[in-house]
Amino acid sequence: MESIEVVNAARLERLIVCEDMNLSGVCTRVKIGNAPKLKLFGYLEPGKHTLEIGDTVIMPGVEASPSMMLTTVKILSLHVCFGVHKDIKMMPAFLGCFPNVESLHITSAKCDQPTDKLNLKFWEDEAGPIVNVLLRIRVMTFREFRGEQYELSFLRYFFKSTYALNQAVISLANPSFTSRSEDEMISSVVNMRIGNFASEFEVLFYVSTGPEGLSRWTFKRGAKFSDDDPFATVKIIPRPGDQTSQACKCHN
């Protein structure tokens, strides 16, 4: 798929781009024109997608203007190779285009040959303050976490920057496909300096038992409108009569 262009879609609420649409290695152009009711958007991949809003191609380092923002989108999903410099340089630019996102879902792609040591300073210098990270995002999920330093650097930046976050859900990659044990992956997050985080929030862990890179996406799930967030792998459900305790419902 070389190009996806939303020209005039007055009733479109969900735009789901399946990774199977891009098998040639060529970047797919995703252009959003008129979509005034778009609420859910994903999976955007910095390494495989070129995002264009209106007549502007989103590039690293370009400050987002109102004409470059999709303010109706509340749920955003990204598929990111955190070990590749050119890919993660696109993340601040992408996030800046969705200032009202409340639920951010990230899948970490496997990186066999990281191109750079991407530490916390990189994120603070490159990304700086992003409005939706600071003030809007209430739920964040991070799938296929392997405990790599470049993943931890992003999580540390995110947790230090967010003021509205209520829950962070971290899905550990199947230990059968990683060099770290379940305990090691969990400890790498727990041992962060929590005192430096901007707000208090709950961190939930669960371990994937599926294949490396997760199971294939099904459009049937995305088209089920009774599910308000088909990208969420875990639902946080308040227990009746208890507003403080919560239960998890996992999705395959």
Side-chain angles (χ1 to χ4, degrees):
M1 186 74 70
E2 295 181 359
S3 180
I4 301 169
E5 185 167 350
V6 179
V7 180
N8 188 13
R11 298 181 63 185
L12 182 67
E13 295 182 22
R14 299 182 175 191
L15 178 59
I16 301 172
V17 183
C18 179
E19 62 183 348
D20 287 349
M21 290 181 174
N22 189 326
L23 301 176
S24 64
V26 177
C27 278
T28 298
R29 171 176 169 262
V30 182
K31 179 175 181 177
I32 310 299
N34 183 35
K37 292 188 177 181
L38 185 63
K39 297 178 182 178
L40 181 147
F41 191 14
Y43 294 90
L44 271 177
E45 299 190 46
K48 294 184 179 180
H49 296 141
T50 299
L51 178 62
E52 186 173 342
I53 299 176
D55 296 320
T56 303
V57 177
I58 308 305
M59 300 293 291
V62 176
E63 186 175 351
S65 64
S67 63
M68 298 162 55
M69 296 181 182
L70 297 176
T71 58
T72 59
V73 174
K74 302 292 186 181
I75 300 169
L76 178 67
S77 180
L78 302 174
H79 192 108
V80 185
C81 191
F82 283 94
V84 177
H85 194 174
K86 66 180 182 63
D87 287 5
I88 66 165
K89 279 179 71 70
M90 285 301 306
M91 278 196 68
F94 277 6
L95 289 173
C97 296
F98 304 93
N100 294 326
V101 163
E102 297 177 356
S103 297
L104 176 65
H105 304 295
I106 295 174
T107 300
S108 178
K110 185 177 181 181
C111 184
D112 295 322
Q113 295 182 329
T115 58
D116 204 351
K117 293 182 179 180
L118 305 169
N119 54 26
L120 176 61
K121 188 175 185 301
F122 168 86
W123 284 104
E124 291 177 337
D125 291 346
E126 293 283 339
I130 302 173
V131 172
N132 59 337
V133 171
L134 291 172
L135 303 176
R136 300 284 190 271
I137 296 176
R138 296 184 299 176
V139 175
M140 189 272 282
T141 65
F142 194 101
R143 303 180 72 185
E144 290 296 277
F145 176 76
R146 301 172 184 82
E148 300 290 352
Q149 185 58 48
Y150 42 79
E151 296 173 322
L152 288 166
S153 295
F154 170 77
L155 287 177
R156 190 174 288 110
Y157 161 77
F158 186 89
F159 292 157
K160 285 185 65 176
S161 303
T162 180
Y163 288 91
L165 191 67
N166 292 325
Q167 289 99 17
V169 181
I170 298 178
S171 168
L172 310 179
N174 189 331
S176 301
F177 303 108
T178 68
S179 60
R180 294 176 176 82
S181 68
E182 175 184 337
D183 288 341
E184 288 173 327
M185 287 187 279
I186 293 176
S187 295
S188 66
V189 177
V190 172
N191 291 336
M192 288 183 184
R193 298 179 64 182
I194 297 178
N196 289 335
F197 292 171
S199 61
E200 294 184 4
F201 51 86
E202 186 176 16
V203 181
L204 304 175
F205 296 91
Y206 76 97
V207 184
S208 172
T209 57
E212 187 174 30
L214 304 176
S215 302
R216 295 168 62 89
W217 171 262
T218 64
F219 282 104
K220 181 179 179 180
R221 180 177 171 190
K224 186 178 179 182
F225 274 73
S226 60
D227 185 350
D228 62 344
D229 188 351
F231 291 135
T233 53
V234 172
K235 303 290 187 182
I236 310 300
I237 306 174
R239 293 173 180 170
D242 186 351
Q243 296 300 316
T244 60
S245 61
Q246 296 169 320
C248 297
K249 179 181 178 182
C250 297
H251 293 255
N252 294 326

